Amino acid sequence: MIKAVRGTRDLLPPQTELWNFVEQTAREVFRGYHFQEIRTPVFEDLALFQRSVGEETDIVSKEMYTFEDRGRAASEPGQRLALRPENTAGVVRAYIEHKLWERPGVQKLYYMGPQFRRERPQKGRYRQFYQIGAEVIGPPSAGSESPARDAEVLTMLADLLDRLAIENWILELNSVGCAQDRPRYNEALRQALAPVVDKMCADCQRRAVTNPLRVFDCKVPQDQPIIATLPRISQFLDQGCRTHFAQVQEILQGAGVPFTLNDRLVRGLDYYTRTAFEFTHGALGAQNAILGGGRYDGLSEALGGPPAPGIGFAIGEDRVVLALEDAGRQVGRAADVYIAPLGAGMDTQAARLGRELRRAGIVVELGDESFRLKKSLETAAKTSARFAVILGENEAQSDVFALKHLASGEQVAVPRAELAARIKAGS
Ligand code: HAM
């Protein structure tokens, strides 16, 4: 038997109702902050992720699904492509490709969709997973660098988690500095690593040379005591970064968004500058990061675009749904009415009546004329419908139907014209 591939899964009803609820709530909250949707392709040129997320990151060096497309002619080399492991790179590529900076103000874009990383699957961690994310990006003259943008994004997230009734989230905040102070910090890290690096794992030995910040991504237990002694980025921020970070905190405090500072938080992607953050949620165990994000002020230029500072985040939708399930959340709507056609030719009558009621906004489940009354009522009960409408030849001729309230068993005769209103009133 062929099964879903390891790390991928089918999402089935009624769980999909919860997914829709999360997505719909996100759309509503984002609309309130005047964000609009962008949809980018699921696969992109491999070089896009190498240049943005970074070659030395786990995502690019170990976890990407890459493949070679065929060239147009047999002699032509194919293009190296990758399934997107995240969506920020695609959004910034689209920003550059479509010259979105020519539009007024900053661009406030959100997206939802599958991402792909070849990680070891476990609860809350999949190889095809779903992100709901947003990016604010634009020319510096439009205010894209302002700490007000950081605070707005974080406030929007707090609002969304509250609207989803996800409780006890923790916002961890850090500043990872900018292009000016990164070289000094990298140098300090290299110096601190030099005497100890030969005791560390092979990955860290390489990172210490190529990209020392990535040492913080190491999960090897033996390396952790060394990593704990390394200098923190907070000691190396220049005045501009310090002021920016202080302003972000001040606005958040004023807006009533609680946070904690964590100067070990560096995030596992290379494009971050200044503000970096994660929201964690205790109920998720090891995979407790429900979302992550931050600023990426140099990313557009790294991809060949104009200066376009930006900030954004991505929510792990799988993890949000898990948190809601753990909290016992249920959403979804049972059918309002089950139409029970009784006898030959009644399927047609039922289809007609069903269509009328659905037009009036009622959720209708249709029965089958081959069922007897007993089986019809049993089926109606299984669909959890509130009412059943019994539709036999007499009813079709008289246009008066038997409306049965399934919980109480009470039954009344209702003319066709009043049926929708009666069902609505009782639901
Ligand atoms: P990220 O931290 O790599 O950031 O991913 C964001 C979130 O996606 C994580 O916090 C987690 O909830 C979820 N996630 C990541 N990997 C998996 C997985 N294998 N299975 C289930 N959920 C997962 C980014 O992707 C950045 N693009 C966020 C961003 C947007 N930064 C700026 N703008």
Side-chain angles (χ1 to χ4, degrees), residues 169-359:
W169 48 263
I170 296 171
L171 162 55
E172 295 187 26
L173 203 57
N174 193 21
S175 174
V176 295
C178 57
Q180 284 78 45
D181 36 42
R182 192 64 62 79
R184 285 191 300 129
Y185 182 50
N186 277 342
E187 192 41 44
L189 281 179
R190 281 202 186 93
Q191 276 182 20
L193 285 165
V196 286
V197 75
D198 54 345
K199 298 189 193 74
M200 299 181 82
C201 70
D203 278 348
C204 281
Q205 297 194 11
R206 201 187 56 250
R207 290 163 176 152
V209 181
T210 55
N211 190 349
L213 198 65
R214 295 274 65 93
V215 167
F216 287 99
D217 302 339
C218 177
K219 307 273 180 327
V220 177
Q222 294 87 307
D223 288 1
Q224 299 311 311
I226 298 177
I227 293 168
T229 64
L230 293 175
R232 307 287 169 89
I233 183 78
S234 54
Q235 299 150 359
F236 292 82
L237 299 181
D238 68 14
Q239 197 49 49
C241 291
R242 273 179 213 280
T243 310
H244 191 276
F245 193 37
Q247 284 171 335
V248 173
Q249 294 176 53
E250 196 183 306
I251 305 174
L252 286 178
Q253 273 156 356
V257 177
F259 59 87
T260 60
L261 297 179
N262 175 2
D263 66 359
R264 296 198 54 177
L265 180 80
V266 299
R267 309 268 303 128
L269 302 89
D270 273 353
Y271 50 60
Y272 288 114
T273 55
R274 296 191 163 175
T275 310
F277 57 85
E278 275 177 10
F279 282 66
T280 56
H281 190 261
L284 292 170
Q287 305 306 316
N288 68 352
I290 211 162
L291 69 92
R295 257 194 183 279
Y296 43 85
D297 291 345
L299 180 54
S300 169
E301 285 145 295
L303 294 174
I311 180 162
F313 63 82
I315 302 169
E317 192 178 356
D318 305 72
R319 296 184 187 176
V320 169
V321 170
L322 269 175
L324 292 174
E325 277 176 344
D326 284 354
R329 276 294 278 279
Q330 282 178 347
V331 291
R333 184 172 167 187
D336 296 314
V337 62
Y338 180 93
I339 299 181
L342 292 183
M346 286 301 124
D347 275 346
T348 310
Q349 296 293 334
R352 193 178 134 214
L353 180 63
R355 198 166 180 215
E356 273 172 32
L357 295 178
R358 285 172 184 138
R359 279 192 183 136

Side-chain angles (χ1 to χ4, degrees), residues 86 88 111 117 119 124-126 129 131 135 267 269 271-272 289-294 296 312-314 316 319:
E86 61 105 43
T88 308
Y111 48 82
R117 296 184 193 175
E119 295 193 79
R125 190 162 74 194
Y126 311 98
F129 61 99
Q131 283 185 342
E135 314 291 346
R267 309 268 303 128
L269 302 89
Y271 50 60
Y272 288 114
I290 211 162
L291 69 92
Y296 43 85
F313 63 82
R319 296 184 187 176

